[in-house]
Amino acid sequence: MLRLHFTAEDLARVQVATELDPLWETVLGLQQLHCPGRGAPVFRTWRRRALDVVAQRQLTRSVWLLAALTPNRGYTPDFLTPAAAAAGFDCGLDAIRATRPGRLRRELRQLGGGVTARRTPPRPWLRDLAGGDHDRMADLAAAVRTVHHAVIAPDWTDAQTLAEGDRALRARALRDGGVHGLLSSFGPGMRWEPPVLHADYPLDRDLRLAGRGLRLVPSYFCWRTPVSLADPELPPVLVYPVGHDTSDSVTGTTPQALHAILGRTRARTLAALHDTATTGELARRLRVSPASASQHVHALAAANLVHSRRIGNHVLHSLTPLGAALLHGRIPAGKALT
């Protein structure tokens, strides 16, 4: 169990990341990639496709080097997931390259027990890396870039779509319940008991935020339990898993039934609005142009299934009670469809 201790100042400095972190996704994706026997079932198709890409492009060495640094259990060096990656992949990679030798030695010294026997660390390579060798650091940066672009980036749109849906959910929780509502919205693996946030975690650990706040980062490849940095002196971050749809439908109504009533595209539009979205967000979820997304939304709004309102430069679309009832196949008890 991880216990994060908040002060009043910390509550005022909680933030949710605006998008996925490319380096956290690379590290967590690698952990899913090189533990096929114990990996999450939801990633089975992705894992099979990624391993094919690794074989076809002869990327085994790059994956092997990174697997030595990203064991699927135990400690992973914090320098692989710098805060600078919030500004983009290249910024994060620059921060990895700029890691001070003292920190490299300290964090690499902690590696060991979590690496499986089949992927024993290349000891001379790790020793040189820990010594700040420029060639070994270049190897590492090249491997991170290669693996990210080959096996993580191709699924980025789908992953980011889930992250955007999660962000809409957190925004709604914050709107309705303030910061306490936000911190209470992360169940079941996280439990808010003010002033402590309890999170399922492989180790028993206390992290005192001490006025630094907390950055909450949604993750596609994080699975079941959240992840945090090991060094308590680093800016506090909690990476948590977004919800994956593990069924054929996210609703109580079968897709075939909605298709028959609304047509395939309009049914997909209705389903895509299970979380509030702007026109641009909806277009990305549907993989259509914004003009096409707008056209379908207007048709659904004319039938009182969708409500649209302008907020600043954006138009925000959400389901009406009638639209939600149609999507879920039921009318909530005691609710009138107006």
Side-chain angles (χ1 to χ4, degrees):
M1 180 67 69
L2 172 64
R3 292 171 292 275
L4 299 102
H5 298 262
F6 286 73
T7 65
E9 188 176 359
D10 293 313
L11 290 174
R13 300 183 67 182
V14 171
Q15 59 173 306
V16 179
T18 58
E19 57 186 8
L20 299 171
D21 184 297
L23 290 181
W24 273 110
E25 292 308 299
T26 302
V27 167
L28 294 168
L30 274 164
Q31 291 174 339
Q32 289 294 334
L33 184 65
H34 58 68
C35 61
R38 295 187 299 273
V42 74
F43 300 122
R44 186 176 295 119
T45 300
W46 168 83
R47 188 182 299 112
R48 185 165 52 246
R49 188 170 64 247
L51 289 172
D52 287 343
V53 169
V54 169
Q56 291 166 8
R57 300 188 188 179
Q58 299 181 337
L59 305 180
T60 302
R61 182 177 184 274
S62 293
V63 171
W64 181 67
L65 289 178
L66 295 182
L69 298 173
T70 58
N72 50 59
R73 288 184 296 175
Y75 174 76
T76 296
D78 291 331
F79 77 87
L80 292 173
T81 52
F89 179 79
D90 289 333
C91 292
L93 201 57
D94 287 343
I96 289 178
R97 292 192 191 98
T99 306
R100 294 181 180 276
R103 180 179 177 185
L104 278 173
R105 286 193 298 272
R106 185 173 64 253
E107 295 191 5
L108 291 177
R109 196 178 297 129
Q110 297 183 56
L111 271 176
V115 182
T116 61
R118 290 190 302 110
R119 290 183 169 81
T120 301
R123 296 295 178 185
W125 184 84
L126 280 179
R127 184 179 60 246
D128 292 344
L129 179 64
D133 184 280
H134 291 294
D135 290 338
R136 299 293 79 78
M137 183 57 79
D139 286 344
L140 173 61
V144 171
R145 181 179 294 278
T146 296
V147 171
H148 175 82
H149 287 305
V151 302
I152 304 298
D155 290 84
W156 197 256
T157 298
D158 289 343
Q160 187 62 23
T161 295
L162 284 181
E164 288 172 353
D166 181 90
R167 183 172 168 79
L169 177 66
R170 306 309 162 195
R172 186 175 294 124
L174 181 64
R175 178 198 67 193
D176 294 344
V179 177
H180 290 281
L182 170 65
L183 295 175
S184 297
S185 71
F186 290 96
M190 295 161 64
R191 186 176 72 259
W192 174 236
E193 296 179 354
V196 180
L197 180 64
H198 302 258
D200 291 344
Y201 204 69
L203 304 174
D204 192 63
R205 180 186 173 198
D206 287 274
L207 178 59
R208 300 189 183 280
L209 303 181
R212 295 172 294 170
L214 179 67
R215 186 166 182 263
L216 294 155
V217 182
S219 171
Y220 180 77
F221 284 109
C222 186
W223 186 247
R224 295 197 185 282
T225 61
V227 185
S228 185
L229 296 170
D231 187 348
E233 299 303 316
L234 291 171
V237 61
L238 191 66
V239 180
Y240 64 91
V242 299
H244 286 260
D245 177 27
T246 57
S247 65
D248 292 334
S249 172
V250 298
T251 69
T253 302
T254 65
Q256 294 80 4
L258 282 179
H259 294 171
I261 296 172
L262 301 175
R264 181 178 181 81
T265 305
R266 300 274 162 80
R268 289 182 60 235
T269 303
L270 194 72
L273 286 173
H274 64 90
D275 282 315
T276 300
T278 65
T279 303
E281 290 168 347
L282 179 61
R284 287 192 291 274
R285 293 177 189 178
L286 296 173
R287 298 185 182 182
V288 300
S289 69
S292 179
S294 179
Q295 179 183 5
H296 295 306
V297 164
H298 286 163
L300 293 171
N304 196 30
L305 300 177
V306 171
H307 173 70
S308 302
R309 64 187 182 280
R310 178 169 292 279
I311 299 179
N313 295 326
H314 300 284
V315 178
L316 200 62
H317 310 291
S318 58
L319 297 178
T320 65
L322 180 61
L326 179 61
L327 183 62
H328 291 277
R330 60 183 182 273
I331 299 175
K335 298 291 185 180
L337 298 179
T338 59

